Amino acid sequence: QVQLVESGGGSVQAGGSLRLSCAASTNTYNSYCSMGWFRQPPGKEREGVAVIDSGDTKTYVDSVKGRFTISKDNAENTLYLQMNSLKPEDTAMYYCATVRVCGTLWIGYVNDWGQGTQVIVSS
């Protein structure tokens, strides 16, 4: 089983930026098509934010397009999420995950979850 460890969360004012990192214990693309970021706002269901497949194809949820950028470092087995122009509605626990199907944000295709990192955006 893949171990995923997120870091980089924190508290920031609206309009600010954060960069999340996810260190994987192995090269996940040997087994899964995509890696991704998911989030769960307080009192709401978990949702997909962004995924990136082995060929660097990226998929974003509409609410973060133009503000968030997903990327990966294959040599370091690390996934990133650069979050700019943050809004209070981005407040959530952010999770890194392996995804069995390419290009999907649906949580039903997630195989492994990290423990999460909290992001709080104040107005």
Side-chain angles (χ1 to χ4, degrees):
Q1 188 171 359
V2 176
Q3 304 299 318
L4 303 170
V5 180
E6 302 95 333
S7 61
S11 296
V12 64
Q13 289 192 328
S17 298
L18 284 172
R19 189 192 195 203
L20 306 184
S21 299
C22 171
S25 58
T26 186
N27 182 349
T28 62
Y29 291 101
N30 286 336
S31 301
Y32 306 107
C33 190
S34 297
M35 287 284 292
W37 290 97
F38 295 74
R39 68 185 179 186
Q40 187 162 14
K44 297 184 179 180
E45 294 186 350
R46 197 170 298 189
E47 63 175 358
V49 176
V51 294
I52 182 170
D53 68 20
S54 57
D56 276 354
T57 298
K58 304 169 185 180
T59 303
Y60 298 94
V61 68
D62 286 347
S63 60
V64 308
K65 286 180 180 177
R67 300 188 298 121
F68 290 11
T69 302
I70 190 170
S71 62
K72 59 183 176 68
D73 184 330
N74 292 330
E76 298 293 329
N77 293 331
T78 302
L79 183 73
Y80 300 101
L81 185 68
Q82 178 66 44
M83 304 187 295
N84 298 329
S85 302
L86 282 161
K87 304 176 181 180
E89 51 263 42
D90 295 318
T91 294
M93 184 71 79
Y94 283 73
Y95 298 90
C96 174
T98 58
V99 186
R100 295 188 295 275
V101 176
C102 295
T104 180
L105 296 171
W106 187 47
I107 64 171
Y109 288 130
V110 169
N111 203 81
D112 306 284
W113 294 101
Q115 84 288 349
T117 186
Q118 182 72 52
V119 171
I120 298 173
V121 184
S122 58
S123 57

